[in-house]
Amino acid sequence: MIKAMNKYLDINKSVMISSPAGSGKTEKLARRYIALLRSGVDVERILAITFTDKAAAEMKQRILRILRQEDKELFGKLLEKMSLMRVSTIHSFCGTLLRRFSFETSLDPNYRIEDAIDSRIAWDRILYEVLMEVGTTRSRAGKGKAGNELLFQSLSENGFKGLDRLKTTINYLFEKNPFSLEAGLPGPSLASEMFAKELADWSGAAAAIENYAELFRDDGFTGLVAAEKHFLTKSGEPRKRAPAYAKGIVDYQGWASTMFKYWSEKSKEEFRKRAERLKAVFNKCFEKYSDKKALRGLLDFSDLEYMTFRLLTEDQEWSNILYAFDEKTDHILVDEFQDTNNFQWGIIDKLTEEWRSGLGAKREEGKVPTIFLVGDEKQSIYFFRGANVEIFNRAKIKLEEWLKREFYYEEVTENFRSLPAIIDLTNALFSKIMRTVEPDESGGEGMPSWMTRYSAFKACRTDTKDAGKVEIILLDDDEATTAETRQKEADVIAKRIQGLIDDYRITEKAETPAGSRPCRYMDIALLLRKRTHLKKYEQAFRRYNIPFVAVKGIGFYQEPEVAILRALTYFLSNPYDDYSLYILLKSPFFSIDEGSIVKAVNSEGDCLFSKWRKTRDGSEKLLDEWLLKIQQVPLSELIEEALSRTKAWEFFHEAQQRANVKKFIKLVEDLEADGKSLLKIRDFLERTEERADEPKANVNTEGMDAVRIMTIHGAKGLEFPVVFVPGIDEGFFTKAGDSLIYDTEGKLFFKYVPQSAVRRMDEDFILHSRKENEEQKRLFYVAVTRAEQAFFLTGRWSENNNSFLGFLKQGLGLNRVEPGAQSTEHRDRKTENRKQKTKKGPQWGTSVQLEGLSVISEQEIKALYKKRPRPKTSKAPSAPEKFIPIRVEKPLIWNAVTETIDIRRQHGKDWAVLGDVIHRLFEDISNGVITEGDMRARAQKLLMTKGIVNKQNERLLSVIGEDVSLLQEKGIWQDVIMPRDNSFSELPFVLGSGDTVYTGRIDRVINEDGVFKVYDYKTFPVDKKEMSYLLKGYASQLRIYKEAVKNLFNAEDVRSYIIFTHTGEIKEAG
Amino acid sequence: MRKGTVFIAPLGARDKKASVFREIISLCPGGDYSSVLYITPSAFSQTEARRRFFSYLKPKHGKKVYIPFQSLTIKSLCTKLYETHKTEGIVPARIEAMVLCDILDERNIGYARLLSDLLSRIRHHILNRGLSQVADDVSSLIFEEKTLKQAVMAIQVLEEYEAGLRQRGLIDFGGAVKNSIPLIREHVSPAALVLDGFFDPTPLELEVIRALVEQADKVFAVVEETAEFLNFFGSPNVEIEKKRLKPFRRGTNTRYYAYSSMEDEVEGIARGVKGLILEGVRPKDTAVSFPLFSKYVPMLKRIFKKHGIPANITGYDLSASRQLVALEEMIASIEDDYPRNEFLSFLTSAHFPGIPETVRQRAVSFSSRAGIVKGKQAWLSVREILLNSSEEKLSEGEKKVLDEFQKQVSQVINTLEKLKREVNLSGFIDNLEKVLNKFRFFDSPGSPDDILGSIETTISELRHFAMLYSPDSISFADFVFYLRQMLQGFKGSDKKEDGVRVVPFELAAGLEPVELFFGGMIENDLPSRPPIDPILPEKVKKALGLPYLEYYLDRQKRHFQRLLNSSASDPYLSCPVADGEKIFLPSPFLDWEQGISPAVLNISTEEDVLLREGAFKRRDFSDVLWNGKLPSDINVKSALNKRFGPKAFFRVTDIDAYRKCPMRFYIEKFLGLEIQRPPEFEVEARLWGKLAHSTMEYLFRDGDVEPEDMGKKLFDGLEKSLREFPIGDFWAGVAREIFIKLLPALKEQEAEMRMQGFSPFIVEHPLKTEVDGLKRVSAKSRIDLRLKGKIDRVDIRTQSPEHRTQTKDKKQPDTVRLLDYKTGSADRDSLQLPLYISMWNKEHNELAEKAGFYSLKDGKIDWFPKRASMDEFLHSALQLAGELVEKMRKGVFKPAPFKDTECRYCAHSSLCKGVK
């Protein structure tokens, strides 16, 4: 084993490790990274790629943690260079590459990644525009083009909903990432001609069917539609019995069957044309969408991979790019390689192309560049997101072929996580339902490479002699509805959990045998395939006093506290939104009784709010106050204030609720920080209202003695002593819908088949569906391998095999044992004994004999159940503390003494600019910086810096000229503006007075024989009538000036004047 | 005589400014400090110096009035000198990237910004070489052809830019600073020069400082002990005394608090700050900072407010300020043809007080009801759409408001549309100002950060650009592009004083607070990497003397060391370990062995108090939400009686709605509250239904029509209906197209019905009757059902073709068939058909043979009853209807949907206890 471990640390070889669950995959990657560092490779030259930010952070953490424990010196060095570590997600790596080569891609190097919801909003708008444009073109032109035909075809088939259908299909293309734009269409089939020939000669058909020959007219779909009624059932299947008029036809059933094949083939041709039109509409939308993004310097998240792929494969400069990359990178490490999609592998493949060729500058320097891939194909559970498990095998075959002796492949089989019972189950089950032979790329005798390969585990835990347990608990409930079954199942699980608590022994994982302890709630995880019935499990746990926490639970937007806050937001954005106000009034914000609302609803008013205002119960004032406040205060702050002010917080004390409220506030805050207006926040919330995949707020579960409930996807990478997987009978739902983007040999294709009967027969749809089912096996594998000691599967016995239960039947030979029948199947002895003691119910058994495995019925659970009281919370809620306000001292106010009347508002922008320029000019004249002769040029330049040019510049210059002439005429120019002894121009001052510090500049101060004259210039046009009003208005400003001058110069006689430059008047003030 | 003093500040030295202030005061005893030139590196430190000087002077020297020193940054000093003594104009920094973009002849503003940044770095760091020489240097340093080509091309663009400016009598800002040096030597001769706050000036700044030092009579400077800048004062030609200040404390401790999330971290900081304030520390003596400041500011503002902590925030990002957002929404409205959200944000913004009040108040509601998605034409048709599509008739008052609204919205759109009618940039700017003035943008509620002033300045700068570079003719899209670029990057600061100082990382070390909280210390944020430079490789930058990666990283490390020593007490360092799904690692500057859990401080917010109170009282808000039982108060009884009392008639469709979900019925039908959904298309299913029904009504309004004549009559009917319910060209086209496709199926269906001996008799037939004979399964009493409704169509059996044109008056007593048109999918469990049959039977005293849903999608009819006999069919429906009506009368509106699927798309499901 040690030898094997060392091999993957050989830094002169590229390595691929198939490292199954519980075999220390991330540890291996970290060790490899460290081995590279230890061999002297510079940290910047190692690129490690993960698939999530979290995984990247964890990988860094792992590397640093190992070094901190084992090699302090290297740890210190690495910490120094931490910001140079290239451990990132593939997206982040692509993002960096695109910025670096932004010139080649004509990208804005400062591009931003657009938020998914914003992308969707932009896309929806463009799709709307394009569809409207397509429709209007048609109605004007009278004849349709490709897009028009499509639109009206859809509308005529589905009525107004046809538009929705069309949108759904085009949105599917968008959701499958915009690169589906490049997806090809499958080629035409020749089969229809063959069938047509056969059918055309059908004896007796022409006599029985009116216009029989027309059915084969090649005019698109008309013939097919007409043909439908003769041979198809309503569900689109071939008829088994002939309609009355066709009774005479010989072998009608055979005819219908051939006709159906012909019809399917012809339909496919028709649908292919439609797919082409759909693509045309999509392309149009996508083009517009891309232009819009480019204009704003935006990219989608999905653009990153796609553009990088294109940059590396199609750009003229790709060799330079590779050169630049190569110059910086010697080693690539990829984690969770099984989750790679075609583009990601394309990128990695291209980047390492030269390395594998055995040539290149590195080799010439004696360096051996390496690639290190680690993953577990059995844990590839992201097919729905585009991951392609086939890449895992393809990569292995290619690397072996290319690198030969420089490549090392390791298949790890050790499992350090689970006890033998679980390992045995895993081996028995998955070696049957997965394949154990090598994949066959060529499609030869072996199984196709999308099928998962299984190698048996070896149990390696040495810390306990406990073999562990696996229990399949089955309900026999044929008559019950699904909801009732899940309800019952939830009760069974709850009872079983209570039976385990304190009684079942848990061994903490350790290097050496360790003692055991009683099982606690925190040891148990309930892993769901999907969260449809989550509420049922939660309710049952509550009923049975089981503490639980929904970890990584989704459905944030559907939580009631979120709905209430959403209602508040909606109301603030539109007080005429009666429903939102209703929710708000009923909610903890106001807790208004229903009767009062009914009364208000039945009173007079144009909306509920106007009616409610008449109730005058105080809440209406608060609502009015919030409506006013929202104009100024951020929504996030207003929500917090509202929660405190109305004491609504009291109702959200439960940890998850509180966290959800906080998450909502943070979400709103982020949207506001992103420049979203209230209406746009509303739009965001409306769009996310039905989005079920948003995780609930994180609640810190560390140390919490509670059962963890999460999805199997969410549990990937985690482990628990005891695992429950409910709903094993639930059937798999494979992709429904008319459209399919699928991958054939690394190329993408798009298929559109709106007829379900045709779809059911379509090989690509079928293959896709099979791949989805294959993924369910892997999902099941992930679920099983989360368990360390005990694994429980629950569900209803069902004949449907398209489920986890089906896998168990196939893998373990799980079957129903008829009472009294002599069964050779294995049954656990304990279970047998227990069965005899309990009420006789249905019995099940397995054909394989596994230690620790038992199959029991729901009736048997009763004997195992132990009623337990609700666990006491560690601390009873203490009496509330008090909020202590801060007593703020009166702050020192810095007050810039500026004009009290807004010149811009009163007189317009030009006068504000002019005022500034005149003050600058007069200052320069008074200080002797310029002469009267320089004035015009100086003024012109100053105006230009204010953006005043051309005619406007000329006009303002003439105003300045006229003002100066007037001042000269009245003698003010000579007496005040021109340079003088004992004078100041734009005299700055700081004056402290009480709690205020006044700062400012006095336009002019002249000391005439001990009399200090303070002048302030007012440059805007003034009417004589407003003179006295203005003098009053400016009195306080001038008083401060006088006070400053008096104190600055110890002057006894200070006088203040206002010079109205536009009218040439001087007035004493203050 | 020595020329002044350099105060050498070791890390941890405090009151550094006081040393300089002492010198200034002794130099100018009279209170006139105007001969002192106080140079700082930033506007922030400028304000800081002015205010600290006042605070120093007042208690120590009792002065309440003085003439302040001239405080300037190098930038403002040089600008001032250049504007006064040179004829060339300085190009505003904001428009530099736009001019470069223009030269590049492509809309890659990001690249233009990189070029602008490169120019600034060349100006500041490479003093004695012109751009062409720099290009030569680059050529000798880069070997890879493509990289070289790109780098040289970038410098060539800069050369072109420089030449273009020269030609127009202009200069870029870096060039102006460089050219100011001789002007300093000529025109500046301060009695005293103070240099304060410089940590690592660029070579160009050093040259400016050198010139100032030469010109000044006295020089006083505070310089960090480890700063390279100190070497400058060591040169033989600068005879300045050096005094070493005493360090107060030497901070090396990088112990830190690790919080579970960013929010928890800011909460922790707030509690820590508040705890100190309650212990007596003045708010202004505490500083808070983060490496990535903008990420934290909104949260910090909110949380500090919650704790009642006064805060002064400096240098925050204004790009999300309400005024700027409102302006952006206005531009986007015009640019994108009035999309709903953008236009509504503009119409309802408080920052356009000139928008008429009716529009402001009703825009959201009216446009939502009218289903406006976007489009000028749609907005101009709100009135029309609403009048045609409202289910209930609008009241006169409402119509009046709607009229006024439509008029005013049209005026607003007209005003905005004028903005587009220009051809050159100056014209667009003039129009923009007119529009802004018209809607009184500059009169809108102000904010302490003077964003309106910044916007005004921006418009002036844009004019400047228009004067310099704009071509004669540009499009509105070009104008918007330029404007958007100009409206970026505004920073704001709170004007009020005395609160906790919240400052960006780069300014924090210049403060000397008593307490310092430095949060957000996570890897990647501290140190942060500069943006990727696609122009010059790092090694080339290093060789040229330009800042490069390690330079930035080192700078941050040194700055962090300063920060560690800037406060009187040990700073509180912290970082979040996660945020949502993200995991953060601590900054490598922190001591990873020293991460500690934050102490629980006994500082509560109102929120904490209420949460504890709630837990204490076990408050449960699910009780607050409605559980489906109405209280038995008089208002409720009266409302129930009015609506469902013995005299009330029930709409058949209402009984169906109640069956589907009593709670939703209660909300929508009883309370009459509409759950609003965002509109996707102007024409919604409801309006299409109206249109289709009206068309079919017209088809058989005057009796039967021969199938071959149906086409003409149907399309005449459609056109009439379209006139009655105008829905615009697009939707009218869609409607026509649907009927064109439907017609053959309709004809076939109608022909088949006639084959079966039935033909249309009456259409849109209202029924209002009391149904008898109903008995509940378990009850003895009968329930009278007073029902009303409208049957879309009644067909009658015709004995022979000649009877096919019967009118209502001439109707033979015979069996009828009832038909209900459906434009969507029919609800097979609906009570509509059996109740209509019962009502018809009662009112006309004759039996209906069957009833069906007539699909206007495919022309097919789904007939009822199916397997059950007519008696069973009617009996079970009447029984169910009776039970439902009884429940309605009792006020039972439990959330008990008939099918699970009812909840799937129900907007109320989050708040409903009945979700299955």
Side-chain angles (χ1 to χ4, degrees), chain B residues 540-552:
Chain B
V540 175
K541 285 192 274 192
K542 192 174 176 181
L544 287 172
L546 294 172
Y548 56 102
L549 179 63
E550 279 82 2
Y551 167 88
Y552 287 114

Side-chain angles (χ1 to χ4, degrees), chain A residues 417-425 459 461 463-471 496 500 504-507 720-723 787-792 828 830 850-854:
Chain A
R417 178 183 290 165
S418 308
L419 295 184
I422 293 156
I423 303 270
D424 290 349
L425 170 80
R461 267 182 76 169
D463 53 349
T464 175
K465 287 183 179 166
D466 182 5
K469 73 187 302 168
V470 175
E471 224 172 81
R496 191 69 191 94
L500 294 171
Y504 185 66
R505 306 292 297 175
I506 301 288
T507 309
F720 306 92
V722 180
V723 168
E788 292 171 2
Q789 279 190 232
F791 184 57
F792 296 85
D828 184 75
K830 278 184 198 167
L850 298 175
E851 198 185 347
L853 168 70
S854 56

